[in-house]
């Protein structure tokens, strides 16, 4: 039995332990510091167990899965619940701003029917950053438990970000388990949960995780030939964050190409677009009818850098550096972003993805370009391409298996050679 999977496990957990330790020692953000202090022990223990298994003969997939599950509990569940309990008991610095923003939007949604404040009301706040809600209206749903039942650890928005993400990943796992290898599915789950950028995001903020989880689920639906389910999944993601909309375009090209040879080539595309429209319309239309100005002030104006306060998303990536330091950069950065989007759109039109695996690569590349060139951006956004690339492995397996079965009706050949090493 090959030891390569265990070698990769050891590298993953060992590197993650170094990352967590460095975060605990040198970060200036209190939630990150607390995560690093707890996660270091979890990753270091996992690396030790992986090293022990590596010295054994024939360590099974089940043992690797148990280590991964225990690591997820140690570096995600335990520090998340600990920070939520401490925060509910009055401790400060136990959550990033986005948690407070989402919970505040849930309260406003119950009180006024809109999750947004207007710019003039935000300008009068002691901390205007917490007044802005740059998310789509659907994100306020994760703030409803706190709004309905008060502030407890179990009403913390991060708890529901985690549960929603795990539900999406479990559904994707079920959809792909028939045709993808166990090794690639385990690797995808490791990347989605215990990879340090994802674990840190779960514990300290979390709002990006259900969005990327829904992207993965949409890709799994596409791989299973279910365009309506894919539309509903990516539409729900689009109702949470605008980041999902470029992925929705990629999946539309995939559905168009994959089902274009059928008797009704646009039937599948119509089902996909219908699925996308339902959650987007259900969450956006009522808010736009009631409070279009609030939506514009928060999602559009603030997102483009025209709010009453600067966005805290200021990681020194190329788009931010151009906008901040290059003469005329405030205009140049959006031009660069728009040019990249135009190039990707042309390439999609001329060479649309043929499989869900290739759509995952297109999505990862497009989002990477966007995050690098956006004037307001964070290093943490790079978790999107990381997770999508992780799920490329089982999606590639599923595509290879489907092609083989269509050609001669053979049994599943297991993982493709292209991804065998990474199992």
């Amino acid at each position: 039995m090959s030891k390569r999977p265990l070698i990769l496990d050891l590298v993953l957990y060992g590197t993650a332990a170094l990352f967590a330790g460095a975060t605990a020692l040198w970060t200036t953000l209190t939630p990150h510091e607390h995560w690093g202090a707890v996660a270091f022990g979890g990753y270091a223990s996992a690396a030790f167990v992986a090293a022990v298994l590596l010295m054994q003969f024939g360590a099974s997939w089940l043992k690797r899965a148990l280590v991964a599950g225990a690591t997820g509990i140690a570096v995600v569940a335990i520090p998340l619940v600990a920070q939520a309990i401490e925060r509910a008991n009055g401790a400060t610095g136990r959550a990033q701003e986005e948690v407070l923003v989402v919970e505040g939007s849930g309260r406003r949604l119950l009180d006024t029917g809109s999750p947004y404040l207007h710019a003039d009301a935000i300008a009068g706040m002691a901390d205007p950053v917490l007044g802005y809600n740059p998310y789509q209206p659907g994100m306020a749903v994760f703030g409803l438990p706190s709004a309905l039942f008060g502030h407890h650890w179990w009403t913390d928005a991060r708890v529901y970000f985690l549960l929603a993400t795990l539900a999406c990943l479990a559904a994707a796992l079920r959809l792909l388990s028939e045709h993808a290898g166990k090794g690639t599915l385990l690797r995808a789950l490791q990347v989605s949960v215990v990879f340090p950028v994802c674990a840190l995001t779960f514990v300290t903020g979390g709002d990006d995780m259900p969005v990327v989880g829904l992207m993965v689920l949409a890709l799994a639906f596409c791989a299973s030939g279910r365009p309506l389910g894919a539309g509903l999944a990516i539409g729900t993601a689009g109702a949470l964050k605008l980041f999902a909309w470029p992925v929705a375009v990629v999946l539309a090209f995939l559905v168009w190409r994959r089902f274009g040879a059928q008797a009704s080539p646009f039937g599948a595309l119509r089902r996909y677009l219908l699925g996308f429209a339902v959650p987007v319309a259900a969450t956006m239309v009522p808010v736009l009818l009631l409070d279009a100005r609030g939506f514009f002030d928060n999602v559009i104006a603030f997102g483009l850098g025209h709010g009453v306060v600067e966005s805290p998303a200021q990681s020194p990536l190329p788009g931010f550096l151009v906008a901040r330091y290059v003469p005329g950069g405030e205009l140049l950065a959006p031009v660069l972003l728009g040019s990249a989007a135009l190039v990707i759109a042309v390439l999609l039109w001329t060479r649309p993805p043929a499989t869900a695996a290739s759509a995952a690569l297109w999505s990862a590349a497009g989002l990477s370009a966007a995050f690098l060139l956006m004037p307001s951006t964070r290093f943490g956004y790079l978790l999107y391409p990381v997770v999508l690339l992780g799920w490329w492995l089982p999606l590639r397996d599923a595509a290879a298996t489907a092609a083989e079965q269509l050609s001669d009706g053979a049994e599943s050949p297991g993982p493709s050679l292209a991804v065998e090493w990474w199992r």
Side-chain angles (χ1 to χ4, degrees):
M1 180 178 294
S2 173
K3 292 183 179 292
R4 286 176 297 189
L6 277 170
I7 293 173
L8 280 177
D9 286 350
L10 179 59
V11 171
L12 170 62
Y13 298 137
T15 305
L18 294 176
F19 177 87
T23 300
L25 290 174
W26 293 306
T27 186
T28 59
L29 302 173
T30 305
H32 293 61
E33 178 186 351
H34 284 263
W35 171 81
V38 176
F40 174 78
Y43 286 129
S45 300
F48 174 77
V49 174
V52 171
L53 293 176
L54 192 58
M55 292 184 290
Q56 296 179 356
F57 179 77
S60 67
W61 172 89
L62 179 59
K63 291 179 181 179
R64 292 181 54 228
L66 291 173
V67 173
T71 306
I73 293 172
V75 305
V76 175
I78 291 176
L80 191 160
V81 172
Q83 291 200 25
I85 291 174
E86 292 174 358
R87 178 172 172 244
N89 290 334
T92 58
R94 296 300 185 271
Q96 291 187 173
E97 291 91 346
E98 49 263 42
V99 178
L100 282 67
V101 168
V102 170
E103 292 177 354
S105 69
R107 288 190 291 271
R108 284 192 293 275
L109 182 64
L110 281 183
D111 294 340
T112 68
S114 170
Y116 303 113
L117 290 172
H118 293 178
D120 52 357
I122 294 172
M125 296 179 62
D127 190 354
V129 170
L130 297 180
Y132 274 110
N133 173 20
Y135 310 120
Q136 297 289 88
M139 188 66 79
V141 170
F142 291 99
L144 291 179
S146 177
L148 289 169
F149 303 109
H151 194 52
H152 308 281
W153 74 265
W154 50 271
T155 61
D156 193 296
R158 290 170 292 183
V159 173
Y160 299 93
F161 291 147
L162 175 61
L163 293 176
T165 306
L166 293 180
C168 291
L169 297 179
L173 185 72
R174 183 176 180 84
L175 287 169
L176 297 175
S177 59
E178 183 178 352
H179 300 301
K182 293 189 299 183
T184 57
L185 288 170
L186 175 58
R187 188 69 71 204
L189 290 174
Q190 286 176 312
V191 170
S192 303
V193 180
V194 303
F195 192 78
V197 174
C198 296
L200 174 63
T201 301
F202 271 125
V203 174
T204 60
D207 58 288
D208 291 298
M209 298 311 299
V211 180
V212 74
L214 285 161
M215 291 178 183
V216 168
L217 180 57
L219 287 164
F221 274 123
C222 283
S224 303
R226 303 179 187 183
L228 178 61
L232 288 169
I234 199 63
T236 304
L240 302 178
K241 265 196 168 185
L242 286 174
F243 290 166
W245 288 58
V247 178
V249 174
V250 173
L251 295 184
F253 276 99
L254 170 62
V255 171
W256 169 59
R257 177 172 180 181
R258 179 171 179 180
F259 298 97
Q262 295 183 352
S264 178
F266 293 102
L269 185 58
R270 283 196 295 267
R271 293 196 298 275
Y272 169 78
L273 294 176
L274 174 63
F276 177 81
V278 168
V280 171
T283 54
M284 286 188 65
V285 170
V287 172
L288 289 175
L289 291 175
L290 179 68
D291 189 21
R293 180 188 166 188
F295 179 85
F296 177 83
D297 286 348
N298 287 262
V299 180
I300 307 300
F302 182 66
L304 294 176
H306 299 293
V308 300
V309 67
E310 286 188 337
S311 170
Q314 297 185 357
S315 294
L317 293 170
F320 171 78
L321 296 176
V322 168
R324 177 62 63 91
Y325 299 110
V326 175
E330 291 184 356
L331 295 177
L332 180 58
V335 169
L336 291 174
L337 181 60
S339 300
L342 181 61
V343 169
I344 292 173
V346 171
L347 291 174
L348 273 173
W349 180 260
T350 55
R351 299 185 63 182
T355 65
S358 59
L361 294 180
W362 273 105
S363 300
L367 289 176
S368 296
F371 299 147
L372 290 173
L373 295 175
M374 285 166 52
S376 298
T377 188
R378 297 181 189 268
F379 284 117
Y381 293 158
L382 296 176
L383 70 87
Y384 285 90
V386 166
V387 172
L388 292 173
L389 289 173
W391 282 87
W392 174 81
L393 301 166
L395 291 168
R396 179 69 175 82
D397 274 0
T401 301
E404 182 72 17
Q405 289 178 338
L406 285 175
S407 63
D408 58 11
E411 294 295 324
S412 169
S416 63
L417 291 176
V419 298
E420 176 69 19
W421 199 92
W422 298 94
R423 293 186 61 185

